[in-house]
Structure formats: structure tokens, C-alpha cells
């Protein structure tokens, strides 16, 4: 069963939330960011090449032009592979753990798995970020020494930064699965 | 006891500061504008270089400008990052004592854990 809905990110960009229910205790929630825009790519490369042409006119050295082309290409590859995130997804498997995956625009995927014993809760927290107060979803990790304590906070959806309405949907989905571990393994 | 109302002592302090600042300003103007030869002829030879009469105000203004940017930067640096536990709790909240619940009394003020707050806000009660 799959659902997709549109929301907005903190900066106003459109993001899409896709929800899949694999089974009663397994859900996958994926937030897809807007793709790289052709106009911003053209704007950046035109600006770099214009600056390089200006330098070439001043210095009469044609290496500047080839260097600019090389830098643009290398910069684009580095950006697509290390910076531009295409989709961030959360796979919650009750009684096993939570898997967080980030897929980059170049196809690279980086995953983190947190086992359910370490997860204290998944909450929506508010914090100050770059002169704004934003809501963000985060996983609270259990402190082994103190049952009430939080040892670490793992923020989720850091690149797509969806707004509160999207976060509430993700929160409710996660809580439905996390509640099952309190009622115990006897419930199906 | 610590009221901001005017008092005789405060009036005297204020007037002394007023006279002092006028005196300081006149001294600064004399030092900056009166030629060195005139001052030497009066016998006043031990002055700092007149270079400083222009340099110190310039330094002060640049320092104030940098101070704005520095304060902004210090604020940004001391904001807790999104992955720190300081956004969730702090030492006072961890050490708080639970007061016993009394019937018909207003519950005591306490820091409510974030999980409970989230449940109250985002999961609608049926």
C-alpha cells in the first residue's frame, strides 16, 4: 500500500512524502527533495565562465578558460555526489530497528541503522537553526545507564527539512509502530 | 531600595561626570589642534604623538563595526546544534524532584519530557 502527498520544505521548496506499509509492523516513509533545476545550473556555470572570460581578457592566458571548464565540471560532479540529496527515507521495523537512508543525486546511498533497543522515542523537536526556529524530526537514543535519560539526538530529514504538517504525518506513523513494542510481542 | 528615582548623590555624580567629560573633550581638542611649538613654549612637552588623535577614533570605530559582526558570530556559535541533547533537556531538568500529586491542588511546575509533550500536541485524543 503506497501513498504520496505533496508538502513544502522550510525554505518553501516542494517536497513529496511517500508512505509505504510493508506489513503491520514495518513502514517506510520517504521524503523526496526537488531536483536540481536547469536554470540554477545554467546560472552558476554562466557566472563562472563569464568571470573566467573576464580574467582571460585581463591576463591573456588561455589556461584560465580550460581551468574554468575543468572546475565547473569537477564542481558539478562533487556537488551531485556529496551534497545534493535526492531522497531521504526512514524504514521503521517494529522490534528490529530504524533505518535511515539518504540517496544522493549521483545515485550514492548512505544508510544508518539504529536497533530498536537503543531507540527511546521519535519526536518532533524545535530548535534554532540559522536565524529561524524550525521543527525537525529526531530519534532519541536511550542512555544505557539512565532509563529516563537521552544519550544522543539523531536529527532526520536534514536536507529536505519538511514543514510541520509533513512531520506530523511521519510522527504519527512512527508512533503507531513504536507503541507496539510497549504492548509487547503478544500482540500481532 | 534600588529605585531609579533621582537622588542628591546621583545629581552630584552626574554633574561631576558632565564637567569631567567636557574637560576631557577640551583637552583632546587642544592636543589635536594646537601646534606643538605653542605647547612647547608653554612648557607642556610630554604629550603623546598627534598621530594618535586621529588613530584612536579610527580604531574605535572599526572596533565597534567588528564588534557587531563578532557578537553575531558568537551568538551563532553558541547556539546548540540540532543533534545536541541541549535542545531537549539540561542539568536543571535532569535533577528536578517530582512533587507528590495532591488532590484539588494545581500541579507543581515541572519540566515535561519531550515525548509527553509531543503526544499531547500531535496525537489527537479520541
Amino acid at each position: 500500500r503506497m501513498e504520496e502527498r505533496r508538502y513544502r520544505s522550510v525554505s518553501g521548496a516542494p517536497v513529496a512524502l511517500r508512505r509505504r506499509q510493508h506489513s503491520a509492523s514495518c513502514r517506510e516513509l520517504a521524503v523526496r527533495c526537488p531536483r536540481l533545476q536547469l536554470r540554477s545550473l545554467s546560472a552558476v556555470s554562466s557566472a563562472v565562465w563569464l568571470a573566467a572570460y573576464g580574467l582571460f581578457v585581463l591576463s591573456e592566458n588561455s589556461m584560465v578558460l580550460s581551468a574554468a571548464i575543468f572546475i565547473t565540471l569537477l564542481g558539478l560532479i562533487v556537488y551531485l555526489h556529496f551534497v545534493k540529496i535526492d531522497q531521504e527515507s526512514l524504514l521503521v521495523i517494529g522490534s528490529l530497528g530504524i533505518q535511515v537512508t539518504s540517496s544522493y543525486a549521483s545515485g550514492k546511498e548512505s544508510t544508518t541503522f539504529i536497533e530498536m533497543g537503543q531507540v527511546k522515542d521519535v519526536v518532533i523537536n524545535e530548535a534554532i537553526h540559522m536565524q529561524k526556529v524550525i521543527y525537525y524530526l529526531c530519534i532519541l537514543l536511550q542512555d544505557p545507564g539512565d532509563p529516563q535519560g537521552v544519550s544522543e539526538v539523531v536529527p532526520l530529514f536534514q536536507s529536505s527539512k519538511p514543514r510541520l504538517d509533513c512531520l506530523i504525518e511521519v510522527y504519527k506513523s512512527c508512533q503507531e509502530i513504536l507503541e507496539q513494542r510497549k504492548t509487547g510481542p503478544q500482540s500481532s | 531600595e534600588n529605585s531609579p528615582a533621582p537622588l542628591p548623590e546621583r545629581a552630584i555624580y552626574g554633574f561631576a561626570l558632565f564637567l569631567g567629560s567636557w574637560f576631557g573633550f577640551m583637552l583632546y581638542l587642544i592636543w589635536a589642534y594646537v601646534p606643538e611649538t605653542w605647547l612647547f613654549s608653554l612648557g607642556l612637552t610630554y604629550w603623546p604623538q598627534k598621530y594618535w588623535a586621529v588613530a584612536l577614533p579610527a580604531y574605535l570605530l572599526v572596533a565597534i563595526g567588528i564588534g557587531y559582526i563578532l557578537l553575531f558570530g558568537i551568538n551563532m556559535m553558541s547556539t546548540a546544534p540540532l543533534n545536541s541533547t541541549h535542545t531537549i533537556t539540561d542539568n536543571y531538568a535532569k535533577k528536578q524532584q517530582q512533587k507528590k500529586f495532591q488532590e484539588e491542588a494545581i500541579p507543581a511546575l515541572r519540566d515535561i519530557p519531550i515525548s509527553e509533550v509531543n503526544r499531547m500536541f500531535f496525537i489527537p485524543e479520541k
Side-chain angles (χ1 to χ4, degrees):
Chain A
R1 225 176 29 135
M2 185 152 102
E3 268 177 34
E4 176 156 340
R5 260 194 261 180
R6 285 181 204 286
Y7 293 97
R8 290 216 167 254
S9 82
V10 163
S11 52
V15 296
L17 171 71
R18 202 183 312 160
R19 272 203 289 208
R20 280 194 74 167
Q21 173 125 351
H22 294 284
S23 85
S25 62
C26 176
R27 271 199 205 154
E28 184 175 4
L29 301 131
V31 173
R32 219 177 49 223
C33 311
R35 306 292 175 117
L36 181 63
Q37 302 275 6
L38 188 61
R39 56 173 172 233
S40 56
L41 180 62
S42 334
V44 170
S45 42
S46 313
V48 171
W49 289 346
L50 227 60
Y53 185 70
L55 269 179
F56 165 68
V57 163
L58 283 174
S59 68
E60 305 286 326
N61 184 8
S62 65
M63 279 293 288
V64 175
L65 297 174
S66 3
I69 295 176
F70 185 64
I71 287 174
T72 314
L73 220 57
L74 196 65
L76 183 65
I77 291 177
V78 164
Y79 177 70
L80 289 180
H81 194 66
F82 292 108
V83 176
K84 179 91 185 77
I85 289 189
D86 199 30
Q87 173 176 291
E88 291 169 304
S89 77
L90 197 68
L91 178 67
V92 186
I93 308 176
S95 82
L96 189 62
I98 302 182
Q99 177 169 286
V100 182
T101 315
S102 301
S103 342
Y104 291 83
S106 64
K108 169 174 106 162
E109 282 192 10
S110 90
T111 45
T112 316
F113 180 75
I114 303 167
E115 59 167 340
M116 209 38 114
Q118 287 181 334
V119 170
K120 181 166 187 286
D121 203 1
V122 172
V123 299
I124 299 181
N125 192 15
E126 323 168 50
I128 301 175
H129 175 75
M130 302 286 271
Q131 291 85 45
K132 265 203 272 231
V133 175
I134 59 166
Y135 290 100
Y136 65 104
L137 199 72
C138 57
I139 304 178
L140 303 180
L141 298 188
Q142 186 90 37
D143 187 6
D146 174 18
Q148 299 295 320
V150 174
S151 76
E152 219 180 294
V153 172
V154 178
L156 302 173
F157 301 128
Q158 287 293 278
S159 299
S160 43
K161 290 204 180 64
R163 285 188 180 168
L164 188 62
D165 43 6
C166 178
L167 290 180
I168 293 180
E169 292 301 320
V170 179
Y171 173 76
K172 287 200 276 210
S173 293
C174 290
Q175 285 296 317
E176 277 166 28
I177 300 198
L178 288 178
E179 270 165 7
Q180 291 171 4
R181 57 177 184 163
K182 262 187 289 193
T183 56
Q186 67 262 22
S187 69
S188 65
Chain B
E1 204 194 36
N2 283 337
S3 82
L7 295 172
E9 294 91 37
R10 288 178 179 165
I12 294 172
Y13 298 152
F15 191 57
L17 264 177
F18 171 70
L19 286 181
S21 55
W22 264 113
F23 177 68
F25 186 51
M26 286 301 141
L27 195 64
Y28 171 76
L29 286 181
I30 292 171
W31 168 46
Y33 282 108
V34 172
E36 274 201 333
T37 47
W38 295 19
L39 292 173
F40 286 168
S41 69
L42 282 174
L44 305 160
T45 53
Y46 201 64
W47 293 90
Q49 279 185 323
K50 281 182 189 278
Y51 160 80
W52 291 108
V54 180
L56 281 178
Y59 273 126
L60 191 69
L61 288 175
V62 172
I64 290 175
I66 290 182
Y68 275 116
I69 301 173
L70 196 71
L71 193 66
F72 188 69
I74 290 178
N75 269 332
M76 279 183 77
M77 278 177 63
S78 15
T79 309
L82 292 186
N83 64 346
S84 99
T85 51
H86 291 286
T87 54
I88 307 254
T89 182
D90 66 356
N91 277 337
Y92 297 102
K94 284 186 202 153
K95 292 198 195 118
Q96 66 180 344
Q97 283 126 358
Q98 306 281 350
K99 296 212 174 77
K100 269 201 299 263
F101 177 70
Q102 288 169 332
E103 289 291 329
E104 307 228 344
I106 300 173
L109 196 66
R110 68 181 178 104
D111 183 46
I112 305 176
I114 186 169
S115 310
E116 214 176 303
V117 173
N118 268 26
R119 271 195 290 274
M120 193 180 72
F121 275 151
F122 303 125
I123 298 184
E125 302 286 327
K126 286 185 190 123

